[in-house]
Amino acid sequence: MPKIDVYNMQGKKVSDIELNENIFGIKPNEKVVHTALVNYMANQRQGTANTKTRAEVSGGGRKPWKQKGTGRARQGSIRAPQWFKGGIALGPKPRDYRYTINKKERRLAIKSVLSSKVLENNLVVVDKLELDEIKTKNMVNVLENLKVEGKTLIILPEKNLNVQKSAKNIEGVKTGLVNTINVYDLLKYNKLILTVDSVKSLEEVYA
């Protein structure tokens, strides 16, 4: 089983923890991670793009000019696509881009990215994350103590408004919950911070 150090909010090592090998120690499956990422991004699309066809634009239904004798190309309607303010041919219409993938694939993708974080030394485990008040400066100090730089994702076992709101205004930092974890955020943020309780919750969910 992979073993990792556990730090307190002052950045001092207080213990170590053995991670579940089936979650944090598997061989990452890049193909499944890609499948899950594409699925997540597709499910975020609103699908509200809409263009008007020739049946929906305003304009007369009569023939602009007679068929022959004018020297101009024949035209049937000013609502045809080639006309200014005419209808759009083959344009986008509202649609739902959502689709599902197998639950096992989604879980394997999460475990693959978590294992990658361990292999790349981008996983930091703290014994707890608790702040007495909502203050960005306090959260910045915690990150500095942990020597965490760059884009950072903090996963909490449950809602903690003091921590979540204190981290909200820090550029490149995002907080999330164990039950809302997704492949997109895990890949987007280089560093991953977990509390000991978060590790236990993940192991319960994905074991």
Side-chain angles (χ1 to χ4, degrees):
M1 289 187 176
K3 184 179 289 187
I4 192 170
D5 296 335
V6 177
Y7 300 91
N8 59 20
M9 293 194 300
Q10 287 71 45
K12 297 180 180 179
K13 179 183 175 181
V14 292
S15 63
D16 52 47
I17 185 173
E18 285 191 350
L19 303 175
N20 189 321
E21 192 170 18
N22 294 326
I23 300 173
F24 295 94
I26 69 171
K27 181 179 179 181
N29 189 320
E30 294 183 3
K31 183 177 179 180
V32 173
V33 171
H34 178 264
T35 298
L37 177 62
V38 172
N39 170 251
Y40 176 85
M41 296 180 70
N43 291 347
Q44 302 307 304
R45 296 184 67 175
Q46 290 183 327
T48 54
N50 185 32
T51 53
K52 291 184 177 181
T53 66
R54 60 186 296 164
E56 297 169 315
V57 296
S58 61
R62 70 181 181 86
K63 193 173 176 65
W65 50 78
K66 64 181 183 177
Q67 183 83 343
K68 296 179 178 293
T70 64
R72 291 181 289 182
R74 54 193 175 188
Q75 300 292 332
S77 171
I78 62 173
R79 294 185 293 189
Q82 71 270 19
W83 280 73
F84 177 65
K85 294 187 178 180
I88 301 298
L90 307 177
K93 303 296 287 185
R95 56 167 290 193
D96 185 6
Y97 289 92
R98 294 184 62 86
Y99 68 96
T100 59
I101 61 174
N102 293 334
K103 184 178 180 180
K104 286 185 178 180
E105 285 186 301
R106 189 166 59 250
R107 292 166 66 90
L108 178 57
I110 294 289
K111 291 190 284 187
S112 292
V113 182
L114 290 175
S115 297
S116 295
K117 296 293 184 187
V118 176
L119 291 172
E120 297 165 359
N121 294 320
N122 284 330
L123 174 63
V124 178
V125 178
V126 295
D127 56 351
K128 60 182 179 179
L129 271 177
E130 295 178 355
L131 298 177
D132 296 329
E133 58 182 333
I134 300 173
K135 199 165 187 179
T136 302
K137 184 177 180 179
N138 292 345
M139 194 67 214
V140 170
N141 290 336
V142 171
L143 295 176
E144 288 178 350
N145 292 338
L146 295 173
K147 298 179 181 179
V148 174
E149 298 178 350
K151 291 186 175 182
T152 304
L153 177 64
I154 303 171
I155 298 296
L156 304 171
E158 57 188 12
K159 285 186 177 180
N160 186 324
L161 291 181
N162 285 358
V163 173
Q164 290 172 297
K165 291 191 174 182
S166 295
K168 189 175 182 180
N169 289 331
I170 304 176
E171 185 178 0
V173 176
K174 181 179 180 179
T175 58
L177 303 178
V178 169
N179 59 359
T180 62
I181 195 169
N182 61 77
V183 171
Y184 179 83
D185 284 340
L186 289 174
L187 291 174
K188 180 179 179 181
Y189 295 88
N190 299 327
K191 290 288 185 178
L192 174 63
I193 297 179
L194 297 175
T195 65
V196 172
D197 289 339
S198 295
V199 172
K200 293 178 180 178
S201 296
L202 284 171
E203 291 179 344
E204 289 176 2
V205 174
Y206 293 96

